[in-house]
Amino acid sequence: MTTPSVAPPASGVAGSRFAVVGNPENRRVSLFADAVRAAGLPGPRVVAWSDVLLEGGADFASDEIVRVDSPGENPEVDRLLRGATDPTRVEGSARWYARFTGALRTLRGGIRLDDPGDLAVLFDKRACHGVLDTAGVPVPASPTSGPGGAPVRGWDDVRALMREHRMPRLFVKPAHGSSASGVLAVEAGGSRIRATTSVELAPGGRLYNSLRVRRYDSERDLAAIVDALAPDGLHLERWVPKASQHGRAADLRVVVVGGRATHAVVRTSRTPLTNLHLGGSRGDLAVARDAVAAAGGRWSDVLEVCERAASCFPRTLCVGVDLLPAIGWRRAFVGEVNAFGDLLPRLTGLPGSGAEGLDTYAAQVRAALREPAPHGQLNPPRPAASGRAARRPYRTGTSHA
């Protein structure tokens, strides 16, 4: 099937209309609809994920600009995708991935803002990591990324790869997970081993998502968790010691729209997991910029790393990049690229981004319509750098242009 072009209609605002595939009750859909109406257009036609899954797809008119939004936070949609009756269960991500990517192929027609092929890569951490690494985007070392990555069939494989690649500290991630579901931050030293995670290991070996981050010190418990997750696919990454802000580990979520970094937020936590729903909190972006400058670097280079990561997915208008600044703010790595990483309510655009005063959804509507921005049009995705020099992590004072 030919994938509709991501390029927006040349006619601009006049006559344009939007559609969104999402869960109608979800605030993601509401926020996007508000942005469309604020642009002077009728609200988007909302196509429910449940209808797509139950009816074998959906059809869109040739002039409809179609946004695909997250199918999450809806128990019935989760049941249709994962086959699980309890949405708090961790297992089933491989089934979710197969059904989700299959459903994307049943969306017919329209002008797409999200490419099915890009989304298929973005929701496979092994494939996404391999694409970024091949393009020269700095990423944490991983033995499981790309088509030649090592398989992980259970805890014994994790232990063997830790020894082989000298990775005493690493993250173990479900290949198709999101929102830190099933992620373990593992630390080994001597005869001791510990994991930090939001996974709750229940009697009988069942795994549940929890909003409480906990630690496991028993290797038997770690093995039980990993062995239960392994059939869905696992991705391993070297643990990058993060920079800190006010004594808390810090990283960045950077939203890239139309090739330009438009929004950014610092996330801080007392645990290795900085996700806001797991107790993380927003940090101070100005303090982060000052820390980069104090280390001899340029903030524009930090944002460019995120733009290079987004450029690996040029047929998708918007992604959220998780950037991991290393201790001292002298270099940074891309941890993940998120297809639905734009839920940052009330956050307005970065100075000079062309999205000043706009939230992430309004910035996407403007980009899709090709409205002139205050500082010119949003840039198209830049081609990813290539070659050995491009594989170096971001270092302060070094341009990657």
Side-chain angles (χ1 to χ4, degrees):
M1 183 179 80
T2 301
T3 300
S5 172
V6 170
S11 57
V13 176
S16 297
R17 52 181 178 151
F18 282 86
V20 57
V21 181
N23 295 325
E25 76 286 354
N26 195 278
R27 61 175 174 164
R28 292 174 179 271
V29 172
S30 299
L31 290 168
F32 181 71
D34 290 344
V36 172
R37 285 189 286 266
L41 297 171
R45 179 167 72 99
V46 179
V47 178
W49 267 116
S50 57
D51 291 340
V52 170
L53 294 166
L54 290 170
E55 298 174 9
D59 294 286
F60 300 91
S62 60
D63 62 343
E64 278 188 299
I65 305 172
V66 182
R67 168 187 171 86
V68 174
D69 218 324
S70 171
E73 302 179 16
N74 181 297
E76 173 62 12
V77 172
D78 185 70
R79 183 188 68 79
L80 292 169
L81 289 172
R82 286 200 306 132
T85 57
D86 186 343
T88 66
R89 290 291 295 272
V90 180
E91 304 95 327
S93 59
R95 183 183 295 112
W96 182 99
Y97 176 78
R99 292 180 178 176
F100 173 68
T101 54
L104 291 173
R105 294 191 292 271
T106 69
L107 304 178
R108 299 172 290 269
I111 301 163
R112 298 279 283 279
L113 301 181
D114 317 84
D115 178 68
D118 283 355
L119 294 179
V121 174
L122 289 167
F123 277 98
D124 186 329
K125 290 177 173 44
R126 300 161 302 188
C128 184
H129 191 285
V131 166
L132 295 171
D133 188 45
T134 299
V137 175
V139 289
S142 169
T144 58
S145 71
V152 180
R153 292 154 296 201
W155 178 245
D156 289 343
D157 285 343
V158 172
R159 268 303 212 176
L161 290 169
M162 289 173 69
R163 290 190 295 268
E164 180 182 350
H165 294 271
R166 298 182 180 179
M167 297 170 63
R169 303 176 81 229
L170 78 161
F171 280 85
V172 180
K173 303 179 178 182
H176 309 299
S178 61
S179 302
S181 174
V183 172
L184 298 96
V186 179
E187 305 171 80
S191 60
R192 290 186 164 188
I193 193 160
R194 181 175 71 177
T196 305
T197 180
S198 63
V199 173
E200 178 184 351
L201 177 62
R206 295 183 299 274
L207 307 182
Y208 292 90
N209 280 309
S210 170
L211 294 179
R212 182 172 72 87
V213 176
R214 64 196 70 211
R215 289 188 171 90
Y216 292 94
D217 298 305
S218 163
E219 185 161 0
R220 175 179 292 181
D221 288 342
L222 296 189
I225 294 172
V226 171
D227 288 347
L229 292 173
D232 285 322
L234 290 173
H235 175 60
L236 311 184
E237 287 183 358
R238 186 179 298 278
W239 182 332
V240 175
K242 292 179 183 176
S244 63
Q245 189 173 105
H246 306 309
R248 296 163 61 94
D251 64 15
L252 295 143
R253 166 64 61 83
V254 179
V255 176
V256 181
V257 178
R260 176 172 292 181
T262 57
H263 298 73
V265 64
V266 178
R267 307 181 302 183
T268 71
S269 176
R270 298 193 185 280
T271 78
L273 306 177
T274 59
N275 301 72
L276 300 180
H277 72 284
L278 295 178
S281 60
R282 289 193 182 187
D284 192 321
L285 194 62
V287 171
R289 287 196 298 262
D290 290 345
V292 171
R298 299 187 304 183
W299 182 247
S300 59
D301 288 343
V302 175
L303 297 181
E304 189 192 25
V305 172
C306 301
E307 292 171 350
R308 287 169 52 203
S311 74
C312 294
F313 308 97
R315 295 175 66 82
T316 293
L317 180 70
C318 174
V319 295
V321 179
D322 289 346
L323 193 71
L324 315 177
I327 291 174
W329 297 89
R330 288 185 172 83
R331 55 180 180 166
F333 302 83
V334 172
E336 296 190 15
V337 182
N338 304 274
F340 305 131
D342 53 2
L343 183 60
L344 298 171
R346 299 178 298 280
L347 184 70
T348 54
L350 296 166
S353 68
E356 297 89 339
L358 304 178
D359 68 11
T360 59
Y361 298 98
Q364 291 172 70
V365 171
R366 168 175 282 175
L369 296 173
R370 288 184 174 170
E371 289 183 14
H375 299 280
Q377 293 183 349
L378 293 176
N379 291 338
R382 296 187 179 100
S386 59
R388 177 174 293 180
R391 296 180 185 278
R392 295 194 303 254
Y394 155 75
R395 299 183 191 278
T396 55
T398 302
S399 171
H400 290 273

